[in-house]
Amino acid sequence: MEGVGDRCFRRAMASVGGFDEAVRDFIRVPRNGHVKSLACEYIFDEIAPFPLAAQIMGSDLDLMGDMACEIEKRGALRIDINCGCPSNTVTGRGAGSSLLKDPQFLNEVARSVVQSVRIPVTLKMRSGYEDISLFRENVLAAEESGVQYITLHPRTKLDGYGPPARWDLIAEAKSLLKIPLVGNGDILNVEDALNMLKTTQCDALMIGRGSIINPFIFHQIRSHFSGIEYRPQFEDLLNYLHVYFSEIPLDMSSRVKVNKLKQLLGFVFKTNAALIEKRSSILTAQCTDPRDLLDHALPLLKENWL
Ligand SMILES: Cc1cc2nc3c(=O)[nH]c(=O)nc-3n(C[C@H](O)[C@H](O)[C@H](O)COP(=O)(O)O)c2cc1C
């Protein structure tokens, strides 16, 4: 997740575990120029205890293929194609959710990536651009490109994050596809996860915001199936926050560190009603040192944790 799913978050999540694989935040592929210099910044130097995929976003057939190839050389285990980003700066360049306006073109972009690498290629999409009139066409065009599976976030670009995700569209896509389908959108707890699996018959789940709010959600879902109880303790949360904090680059200014921590804590303070009540005191805290922010947040978390 762009702006959140950085190295600090990935390392912190790695210390918790419970999920099968993860995808890095997207890398923009320009419409002209050379991808090598861009991809250089995208070195897979993390020893992740889970398969870590790269996500690319762009609309130039050749450059998307070239970028995938460069990233493959740098150790990515899978390439995911972004057909969902709603940001106007992205869609204005024909990338992200803009690809959903033209199923044939979406197919060509995906095909170009599939044919450029040996590692698996997957595709993440929304249900449409302005509406869902091309939904079926897009789903089938994606499958036809040769991608190994599709992740569906069933909102249109126009929806943004507003209305509830339309899980019925996940069920519809599942009935259309031969390749596996990963369902995504609005899973915040175990009950949501079970409901999505049951009502859509999707093959797997992808959880975004729910994992920033509650990093233990994956273990909790697993625990439902294994029958082995999993109850995260406050110390587990402390350890997660410690790993996150220790991964923040030293050369970052204190102000940026404080804002970064506020962003993460802003999600964690949505975990339950008691924490939601205290959330604004975190977001508006006048701290110049990130340690002061933690000193303010930790007692509140301890008091109200689960
Ligand atoms: C801050 C933020 C950043 C995101 N960045 C990406 C991204 O880089 N690539 C992507 O495919 N989806 C991105 N998404 C969308 C999520 O992956 C996901 O599809 C969406 O949030 C719905 O799922 P959720 O309810 O589990 O969060 C982002 C969402 C948010 C809130």
Side-chain angles (χ1 to χ4, degrees), residues 228-247:
I228 301 167
E229 197 188 346
Y230 179 83
R231 191 176 280 274
Q233 304 299 313
F234 178 67
E235 286 65 35
D236 298 321
L237 178 68
L238 212 52
N239 184 53
Y240 164 81
L241 292 173
H242 170 75
V243 175
Y244 185 90
F245 190 60
S246 62
E247 288 289 337

Side-chain angles (χ1 to χ4, degrees), residues 18-38:
F19 48 94
D20 296 310
E21 49 185 278
V23 188
R24 283 178 64 149
D25 42 342
F26 64 72
I27 177 169
R28 281 192 177 82
V29 180
R31 276 197 299 188
N32 45 43
H34 224 296
V35 297
K36 277 202 170 148
S37 55
L38 268 175

Side-chain angles (χ1 to χ4, degrees), residues 40-271:
C40 281
E41 294 163 17
Y42 210 64
I43 295 169
F44 271 69
D45 60 347
E46 295 178 38
I47 303 165
F50 48 83
L52 184 59
Q55 189 183 64
I56 58 175
M57 181 167 70
S59 58
D60 182 286
L61 298 186
D62 293 336
L63 289 177
M64 285 289 277
D66 289 353
M67 181 63 95
C69 203
E70 281 300 318
I71 293 173
E72 178 182 39
K73 284 187 211 152
R74 288 168 165 79
L77 296 176
R78 166 169 68 93
I79 305 275
D80 192 52
I81 304 169
N82 183 313
C83 302
C85 183
S87 154
N88 286 334
T89 52
V90 168
T91 53
R93 297 199 186 98
S97 57
S98 255
L99 294 173
L100 302 169
K101 289 182 194 171
D102 184 346
Q104 175 61 34
F105 186 58
L106 178 148
N107 175 280
E108 285 166 23
V109 171
R111 187 178 289 272
S112 168
V113 177
V114 168
Q115 289 174 351
S116 302
V117 292
R118 275 176 299 210
I119 53 176
V121 176
T122 55
L123 184 144
K124 170 132 181 294
M125 61 185 284
R126 283 187 176 240
S127 52
Y129 192 76
E130 285 186 339
D131 57 41
I132 57 164
S133 54
L134 293 173
F135 175 65
R136 292 168 69 94
E137 286 85 342
N138 277 321
V139 166
L140 293 172
E143 177 174 60
E144 210 270 328
S145 71
V147 298
Q148 307 246 327
Y149 65 78
I150 294 171
T151 304
L152 175 61
H153 172 204
R155 287 188 175 95
T156 64
K157 173 247 173 346
L158 210 63
D159 289 338
Y161 291 90
R166 282 195 50 186
W167 292 3
D168 60 308
L169 293 175
I170 299 179
E172 186 175 339
K174 177 63 192 160
S175 72
L176 291 171
L177 289 168
K178 293 185 200 75
I179 57 172
L181 177 69
V182 180
N184 166 239
D186 299 350
I187 301 173
L188 292 177
N189 51 46
V190 177
E191 202 187 347
D192 292 339
L194 298 180
N195 275 341
M196 183 184 283
L197 287 170
K198 190 169 162 211
T199 57
T200 71
Q201 302 293 314
C202 65
D203 301 282
L205 303 174
M206 183 241 147
I207 302 178
R209 291 165 299 177
S211 64
I212 320 176
I213 295 170
N214 170 15
F216 308 104
I217 190 169
F218 301 104
H219 278 302
Q220 289 166 333
I221 295 169
R222 274 184 190 282
S223 148
H224 170 85
F225 290 104
S226 68
I228 301 167
E229 197 188 346
Y230 179 83
R231 191 176 280 274
Q233 304 299 313
F234 178 67
E235 286 65 35
D236 298 321
L237 178 68
L238 212 52
N239 184 53
Y240 164 81
L241 292 173
H242 170 75
V243 175
Y244 185 90
F245 190 60
S246 62
E247 288 289 337
I248 296 181
L250 290 173
D251 58 359
M252 225 178 227
S253 75
S254 289
R255 191 180 52 81
V256 178
K257 282 182 188 167
V258 166
N259 287 339
K260 194 167 164 47
L261 264 183
K262 275 190 183 179
Q263 184 193 39
L264 185 80
L265 291 170
F267 278 100
V268 176
F269 271 75
K270 286 184 181 174
T271 306

